[in-house]
Amino acid sequence: MASRAPNPLGAIVSTDPARRPSRNTRLAGRYVTLVGLSAAHADPLYPHISGPDNAHLWDYMFDGPYDDIAAFRSTLKARETSRDPVFYAILSNKKLAEAGHDGKEDDAVVGIASYLRIDPGNRSIEVGHLMYSPQLQRTPAATEAMYLMLRHAFEDLGYRRYEWKCNSLNEPSRRAALRLGFTYEGLFRKHFIAKGRSRDTTWYSIVDDEWPGVKQALEAWLDPANFDGENKQLKKLEECKR
């Protein structure tokens, strides 16, 4: 009787767990600094993400929009103690510099981001709950915030998989994932009921083998030499990947 061929198996990898992210971590870049989110960030951020003109910012979020500042403060207060997700405020370095030593750091907040679905054992983590104020959207600062979180997850915390998920109808989020270097993985149909509406979820990821190339492209695009005197890009991020 012929011997049975062995089944194919995955590569052997270290089972050492990754580190959990901490809200006490401070991630500083050229344009932005990320710090643990607190209720103190509510008041300066609220005017930029509230009201009828900004209601669309909440269309694909699981919460909001908020009709009053008290409810928003309460939400951010609860997020101070969350272990998954771990929330961060995105601070504008330009606003920090303008505030000087006498200014309040909290007043520089321009957005929110988080790590979630944190799985140290399998070394997998997701980025999400992104709330970018109009001041942050489509700026080098927005890209840098994602770069800082990616670098921290792979290089400091030891994760091997970094996920991005979004409502399949959220075309700007899908474009952003591909632009940043994420790979499309598939569509989870009828994944959630969010705010009474059916949601299909699109999945993307970057894995540790891909990170060096993604990092090189992001750093090349963020390099000050890639921007002219009016802070306009000379090369698109897609061109930096070549």
Side-chain angles (χ1 to χ4, degrees), residues 24-91:
N24 296 321
T25 298
R26 186 181 183 92
L27 303 176
R30 178 179 299 274
Y31 299 104
V32 294
T33 298
L34 277 70
V35 299
L37 184 69
S38 74
H41 296 120
D43 284 54
L45 180 59
Y46 185 75
H48 303 297
I49 58 173
S50 62
D53 291 343
N54 292 316
H56 66 281
L57 298 176
W58 300 92
D59 284 347
Y60 300 116
M61 304 292 285
F62 287 109
D63 63 326
Y66 292 87
D67 294 329
D68 64 85
I69 183 64
F72 189 56
R73 283 194 206 108
S74 178
T75 294
L76 266 57
K77 181 64 178 176
R79 290 179 176 180
E80 291 180 0
T81 55
S82 174
R83 297 191 72 242
D84 189 351
V86 176
F87 290 93
Y88 299 91
I90 304 171
L91 308 181

Side-chain angles (χ1 to χ4, degrees), residues 103-164:
K104 290 200 311 181
E105 183 176 86
D106 300 336
D107 291 339
V109 61
V110 290
I112 295 173
S114 80
Y115 291 122
L116 66 154
R117 288 175 57 88
I118 302 163
D119 185 351
N122 289 304
R123 303 200 293 278
S124 176
I125 197 167
E126 180 182 343
V127 63
H129 294 282
L130 303 181
M131 172 50 66
Y132 282 8
S133 70
Q135 296 170 308
L136 182 59
Q137 293 175 355
R138 295 180 293 278
T139 66
T143 298
E144 185 183 61
M146 294 298 94
Y147 162 75
L148 292 171
M149 293 185 72
L150 272 161
R151 187 180 67 182
H152 184 56
F154 282 121
E155 298 185 6
D156 301 328
L157 302 180
Y159 286 88
R160 66 178 194 142
R161 175 178 169 82
Y162 193 88
E163 299 177 340
W164 177 296

Side-chain angles (χ1 to χ4, degrees), residues 144-195:
E144 185 183 61
M146 294 298 94
Y147 162 75
L148 292 171
M149 293 185 72
L150 272 161
R151 187 180 67 182
H152 184 56
F154 282 121
E155 298 185 6
D156 301 328
L157 302 180
Y159 286 88
R160 66 178 194 142
R161 175 178 169 82
Y162 193 88
E163 299 177 340
W164 177 296
K165 303 185 184 79
C166 64
N167 189 311
S168 64
L169 298 177
N170 190 347
E171 185 177 349
S173 184
R174 299 201 317 269
R175 287 199 308 265
L178 295 174
R179 174 181 174 271
L180 289 167
F182 286 80
T183 296
Y184 171 76
E185 292 190 328
L187 179 71
F188 275 42
R189 299 176 299 168
K190 297 187 177 181
H191 189 206
F192 290 116
I193 298 174
K195 298 178 180 176

Side-chain angles (χ1 to χ4, degrees), residues 197-218:
R197 295 181 182 274
S198 181
R199 165 177 152 155
D200 295 345
T201 300
T202 308
W203 288 50
Y204 302 88
S205 74
I206 296 172
V207 296
D208 53 358
D209 299 330
E210 299 163 342
W211 168 238
V214 172
K215 176 183 180 180
Q216 183 178 27
L218 286 168

